[in-house]
Amino acid sequence: MSRAFTAALLIAALATAGCAPKQAEPTAAAKPAFDPKDFSGTWDRYPLSTENSGQDPTVVPRPEPIPNPPLKPEFKAAWEAEQKKINAANAAGEPIATGYTHCIPDGMPAMMMAMFPMEVLQTQRQTTIIQEAYNQVRRIYLDDTLPAVEDAEPGFWGHSTGKWEGNDFVVETIGIKDNVRFRNTPHSAAMRIHERMRVIDKDHFENDVTVEDPEFLTGPWKWKWVYQRRPNYKMYEYVCEDNREYADPVTGKARMRIKKRP
């Protein structure tokens, strides 16, 4: 075999090798799109008006409206009469003074409706929820034991303990002050608030709420809140020190103080 022929074979072999496809290099395992147990961050109540129409499956549906409380008959009539009174006053432009008039915070469960943005901080020992409105702070202690109802000192946010059931964060709360009322609904010291929170996607999580009170309710009162992430939002200080509203001592209606110019 001539040297020229051998050289030609060598060149052809090298050319063929150069054209061979490269082996794919191993890559790291794909990371999940989101951590189903990570609620950390700043959130708003989900505001979109999308209904459960199924027209766009990529859009998180808005939760159904909160139903009226299933009050027992002996309490329902008084509640309905109060609601009519409130609605009539609002329609007449003469709203009745509320806790907001007196700079009183929402308490539970109303603080979780996220009237203003709220911040969730997660640590190994607890989950802390800070509601911008009135600087409300709620501490949920993980895998803790709630006190007996008769030993739970009443507060605006009560006593909360949480645990993980799969990817659901399950929370139970007791010990809410008697004058802290969601939608003007009366309750007893035996009221319990159950929440089941879960991440929907990287930008949304939902909170299934169930209120139980054997003294005032005929059965569980259930609804759902959905929240959307506000990654660039910075929480503001909210102190109700310059409230211009006050309650009229005669009518109980909310009034506005008019500031005089200097």
Side-chain angles (χ1 to χ4, degrees):
M1 184 180 295
S2 66
R3 291 182 178 179
F5 183 68
T6 302
L9 288 177
L10 181 58
I11 292 172
L14 291 173
T16 303
C19 294
K22 293 183 179 180
Q23 295 293 326
E25 296 186 10
T27 58
K31 294 183 178 179
F34 59 91
D35 183 349
K37 291 186 176 182
D38 184 11
F39 294 89
S40 297
T42 307
W43 306 84
D44 253 347
R45 184 170 52 173
Y46 189 55
L48 299 182
S49 59
T50 304
E51 297 180 354
N52 299 334
S53 61
Q55 294 177 355
D56 185 353
T58 66
V59 176
V60 175
R62 185 188 182 108
E64 297 295 330
I66 299 174
N68 290 338
L71 286 163
K72 292 183 177 181
E74 58 266 38
F75 307 113
K76 185 176 181 180
W79 182 85
E80 290 178 341
E82 183 65 19
Q83 292 303 109
K84 289 181 180 179
K85 180 180 176 182
I86 292 171
N87 293 336
N90 290 339
E94 292 281 336
I96 298 171
T98 66
Y100 296 136
T101 308
H102 301 287
C103 289
I104 297 175
D106 294 298
M108 277 292 293
M111 71 165 284
M112 293 301 295
M113 70 181 174
M115 178 175 67
F116 287 7
M118 66 183 190
E119 185 176 27
V120 180
L121 306 174
Q122 291 176 285
T123 63
Q124 186 175 2
R125 180 72 179 88
Q126 71 184 54
T127 295
T128 305
I129 299 178
I130 304 170
Q131 166 56 238
E132 183 177 283
Y134 299 92
N135 287 335
Q136 300 178 84
V137 180
R138 181 186 181 200
R139 296 174 179 86
I140 303 170
Y141 296 100
L142 272 62
D143 300 315
D144 204 358
T145 302
L146 287 173
V149 170
E150 58 271 17
D151 296 330
E153 181 162 351
F156 283 93
W157 308 287
H159 307 262
S160 296
T161 183
K163 63 181 179 180
W164 288 99
E165 292 183 357
N167 291 331
D168 289 1
F169 187 46
V170 181
V171 182
E172 185 174 8
T173 302
I174 63 170
I176 305 300
K177 283 178 176 285
D178 174 72
N179 64 328
V180 175
R181 299 185 175 188
F182 182 55
R183 299 203 167 186
N184 300 303
T185 306
H187 66 84
S188 70
M191 181 180 71
R192 290 179 180 267
I193 304 170
H194 305 274
E195 297 168 277
R196 184 173 288 270
M197 306 179 197
R198 68 181 65 88
V199 175
I200 301 173
D201 56 37
K202 66 182 182 66
D203 292 319
H204 301 86
F205 85 88
E206 64 183 14
N207 185 4
D208 286 320
V209 184
T210 301
V211 176
E212 295 180 336
D213 189 340
E215 185 173 330
F216 282 89
L217 303 179
T218 60
W221 184 16
K222 298 184 177 184
W223 67 86
K224 178 186 290 186
W225 279 314
V226 178
Y227 312 97
Q228 110 174 332
R229 188 183 295 278
R230 295 296 189 198
N232 299 317
Y233 186 83
K234 294 181 180 179
M235 297 284 286
Y236 283 84
E237 179 183 272
Y238 186 116
V239 179
C240 192
E241 64 178 348
D242 192 26
N243 185 21
R244 292 184 293 165
E245 286 189 358
Y246 69 97
D248 189 304
V250 177
T251 66
K253 301 292 180 66
R255 302 300 185 194
M256 188 75 72
R257 294 184 179 91
I258 305 299
K259 289 188 174 182
K260 296 181 179 180
R261 293 186 177 182

